[in-house]
Amino acid sequence: MTGSETVSTELAEGVLTLTLNRPDKLNSFNEEMHLALRAGLQRAHEDPQARAVLLTGAGRGFCAGQDLGDRDPRKGGPAPDLGRTLETFYNPNLRLIRSLEKPVVCAVNGVAAGAGANIAFACDIVLAAKSAKFIQAFAKIGLIPDAGGSWSLTRILGEPRAKALALTAEPLPAEKAAEWGLIWKAVEDESLMIQATELARALAAGPTLGLGLTKRLIQAAAVNSLDAQLDMERDCQRAAGLSADYAEGVTAFLEKRKPEFQGK
Ligand code: T3D
């Protein structure tokens, strides 16, 4: 296990596991944890041994968003420029998750509030413990949904549910989040890490280049016309068709054996 104390990092069987690690504060973000998560995500981009990412939290919570202790108005001084903190700390990590051409699995082990919920929604496949809940906590403190929340909630749920969650800050239980399509599955608490690790390992053993292109296409579909998307599918399929993993996939099928993908 390596990484900063605030995000532990482990690479095993092609899976880079990043564990938010400030359990006493429900893994809320301070500057150190932002930078440690960024370092982990940058490694995921650069390290060919890392073929999938598993993001989770230590202790009973996944992430409670911003550490409000670092925003205490009673300490005096000028009001913080939260536009700057989003630009400097939150947005780079969101962009690293979305632009990573490798699968990012999120195991939501407990409460996910504020930016913590929205970072989970930015991941590619989200499993949550049945006891977990998602809270757009921003409304309770006079803020707006950030970390991509105003975008992802609206796109996934549509305006009525996005607005209700964001305006009321009502906790959304994991099973309801799955029913609404915000996450992939809600699973028994005891089996969360087993299932999330199995899934991440299976993805890490997959045709990484093709999976990365698939992620790129699905994300682009939200803004593309059908025509633009058909052109993009043509270009991505051309690239996938030139990969060693495609040749291996077809050969393995014809030889009636399991493929051994190399991730290229
Ligand atoms: O500032 C910027 O840069 C802009 C970006 C903003 C992004 C955001 O995420 S804004 C939203 C910030 N987050 C919140 O408003 C959530 C605050 N937390 C809560 O509402 C509750 O803690 C939860 C609903 C998440 C969980 O409730 P519960 O009852 O299970 O736990 P708890 O007792 O409230 O919390 C346990 C401990 O964690 C507690 O510490 P203590 O008393 O045991 O020493 C609590 O203070 C601490 N904690 C929880 N959330 C935060 C936190 N400490 C600092 N910051 C937190 N966000």
Side-chain angles (χ1 to χ4, degrees), residues 141-155:
I141 55 169
L143 294 185
I144 58 96
D146 60 19
S150 62
W151 187 88
S152 53
L153 289 174
T154 311
R155 272 168 204 268

Side-chain angles (χ1 to χ4, degrees), residues 114-251:
N118 296 338
I119 286 170
F121 300 144
C123 297
D124 301 318
I125 304 185
V126 185
L127 302 184
K130 281 189 180 169
S131 67
K133 53 193 172 179
F134 298 89
I135 310 173
Q136 295 297 313
F138 310 92
K140 290 201 166 172
I141 55 169
L143 294 185
I144 58 96
D146 60 19
S150 62
W151 187 88
S152 53
L153 289 174
T154 311
R155 272 168 204 268
I156 301 167
L157 299 178
E159 276 195 31
R161 283 173 170 168
K163 282 180 180 162
L165 289 177
L167 297 176
T168 67
E170 196 176 293
L172 183 70
E175 285 178 280
K176 183 69 99 179
E179 202 182 296
W180 285 6
L182 253 182
I183 65 168
W184 172 232
K185 271 183 194 169
V187 303
E188 297 302 332
D189 289 23
E190 312 74 63
S191 71
L192 173 70
M193 288 316 293
I194 298 167
Q195 291 201 42
T197 304
E198 270 174 11
L199 173 63
R201 285 185 180 168
L203 291 165
T208 311
L209 192 139
L211 298 182
L213 292 170
T214 303
K215 173 171 172 175
R216 191 198 298 176
L217 277 161
I218 290 175
Q219 290 180 179
V223 288
N224 271 348
S225 65
L226 175 61
D227 261 350
Q229 194 72 11
L230 289 174
D231 286 349
M232 200 175 163
E233 286 180 3
R234 174 201 60 211
D235 296 343
C236 289
Q237 198 69 298
R238 180 175 290 137
L242 295 172
S243 69
D245 282 343
Y246 167 61
E248 166 61 6
V250 176
T251 308

Side-chain angles (χ1 to χ4, degrees), residues 24 26 28 60 64-68 71 82 85 115 135 138 146:
D24 295 349
L26 296 183
S28 55
R60 74 172 176 90
Q66 173 61 39
D67 185 327
L68 297 177
R71 298 284 181 266
L82 302 187
T85 62
I135 310 173
F138 310 92
D146 60 19

